Amino acid sequence: MSNSRYQVNERGFYGNFGGAYIPEMLYPNIKELRERYLDIINESSFQEEFQQLLRDYVGRPSPLYFAKRLSERYGAKIYLKREDLNHTGAHKVNNTLGQILLAKRLGKEKIIAETGAGQHGVATATVCALMGMECIVYMGEIDIERQRPNVERMKLLGTKVVAATCGSKTLKDATNEAMRHWINHPTDTHYIIGSVVGPHPFPDMVARFQAVISEEMRWQLKEKTGSENPDYIVACVGGGSNAMGAFYHYLDELDVQLIGVEAAGLGLYSGESAATTQLGKAGILHGSKTLLMQTEDGQVVEPYSISAGLDYPGIGPVHAHLYETTRAAFYSVTDAEAMEAGLLLSRTEGIIPAIETAHALGALEKMEFEPNDVVVLNLSGRGDKDLQTYIRYKKT
Ligand SMILES: *Cc1c(COP(=O)(O)O)cnc(C)c1O
């Protein structure tokens, strides 16, 4: 544990947020994980295997790319951290790889996961194939429809995809189903959560696996600009794992401004959005205390975003804390603003970003820069999966 006020404390809290609000039947699983995760992650044999696979299998370090034409457009020095070039096309594999190595050392034989956009499902199915472990992925029925190619990928990789048919039939319902499965199979199964959400120690564990992003950023920036610290780090926030990975080694560097970007859907106050810090109140979601979008009587509000990966009614407790303490600033970007920013990056840099990532790019329009400002934008994923959405948007 560290002394940083932005790191998790020994009770699993980030300030007022976090903890492990779980049914009694889940307690043994969470307790085992809590007692063992740090020792396992810190073992040299674990780190050796993890680092070797990050390098040779995922393709790390991911480049830090100076985006010249984008920089000219915004009047600042903009660097893109290319998580889109990772195997499976996004940052998520950093976490699934870490967790499956941990699961093996806990003696687990089966893996379950939930997925929204299907990206976490694919990243989980991928590492399960790699390790020869049985895998079930829960996915909302609606997401199965709108993310067909990822469903096919998971099946090809040998994973069983199970539809969540309750509620809004999206990510939060898939998460509920996965939790239910874990309660019923506590001893042989590990649940790979896909973001910095869920009961302690998941948010901290996922943050540690994604922290490789900012670890690399430090030496890459030093090489390219002479300083480890940029002026801004910008990242989109669904649950908040790519943002946390990009922020992690800068949390206590107060001269670095941290910017999280949430999905405003059809408009912040349209009733169709997913901008949790702006619209949410404190409550308990999926095992942790955090900010979440809810009605007067505490029912979770159905979120909306054009991007399935940001379509989540809460945020990780660490982000609720970063928001409350103003350590990070949060912007919201609408569907249309994100689509325009995604098209702009495609045309100015030849990089088609995931629509989740396009939200982070959309925030550049709203920020004001000095010419010498160094901005790192975490390019969380590639847009192959979103081609149909881009094409449909351009027609309307
Ligand atoms: C899943 C996903 C996100 C959102 O998840 P976080 O945990 O907030 O990072 C963002 N970008 C891409 C490309 C994704 O696949």
Side-chain angles (χ1 to χ4, degrees), residues 230-234 247 250 253-260 327-329 331 367-368 373-376:
D231 297 289
Y232 298 92
I233 300 173
V234 184
F247 295 170
Y250 293 101
E253 305 287 324
L254 299 182
D255 59 325
V256 180
Q257 299 196 46
L258 308 177
I259 312 286
R327 174 65 189 97
Y331 284 73
M367 297 171 66
E368 285 185 19
D373 282 347
V374 173
V375 181
V376 177

Side-chain angles (χ1 to χ4, degrees), residues 315-375:
I315 45 169
V318 64
H319 290 290
H321 180 55
L322 294 176
Y323 174 74
E324 193 176 73
T325 57
T326 71
R327 174 65 189 97
F330 285 79
Y331 284 73
S332 24
V333 165
T334 64
D335 287 1
E337 290 167 340
M339 296 307 287
E340 291 300 329
L343 293 171
L344 177 76
L345 188 74
S346 306
R347 302 259 168 98
T348 52
E349 297 289 348
I351 299 170
I352 304 172
I355 295 175
E356 290 82 2
T357 316
H359 285 74
L361 291 158
L364 297 176
E365 291 283 343
K366 302 172 187 245
M367 297 171 66
E368 285 185 19
F369 301 112
E370 304 287 336
N372 282 327
D373 282 347
V374 173
V375 181

Side-chain angles (χ1 to χ4, degrees), residues 28-41 43 46 98-111 133 182 186-191 201-202 205:
N29 304 30
I30 295 294
K31 180 167 180 279
E32 178 186 39
L33 208 54
R34 191 187 64 222
E35 288 174 351
R36 298 196 53 198
Y37 83 109
L38 285 177
D39 287 343
I40 292 176
I41 293 174
E43 275 168 17
F46 178 95
Q99 284 204 49
I100 202 157
L101 296 180
L102 187 109
K104 276 204 325 188
R105 282 160 174 82
L106 288 171
K108 307 292 178 182
E109 288 154 10
K110 295 176 185 169
I111 297 294
M133 276 166 95
W182 207 24
T187 48
D188 66 346
T189 301
H190 176 67
Y191 176 17
F202 277 102
M205 186 167 73

Side-chain angles (χ1 to χ4, degrees), residues 19 33 42 80 84-85 171 192 252-253 311 315 327 379 388 393:
L33 208 54
N42 290 326
L80 304 176
D84 60 314
L85 294 178
L171 180 59
I192 298 190
D252 295 313
E253 305 287 324
D311 189 353
I315 45 169
R327 174 65 189 97
L379 211 77
Q388 287 311 316
Y393 176 79

Side-chain angles (χ1 to χ4, degrees), residues 89-92 117 119 194-196 236-243 309-310 354 356-357 380-382 385:
H91 64 289
K92 292 208 170 72
Q119 288 298 98
S195 191
V196 287
C236 65
V237 175
S241 69
N242 87 85
L310 302 184
E356 290 82 2
T357 316
S380 57
R382 66 176 90 124
K385 68 186 176 59

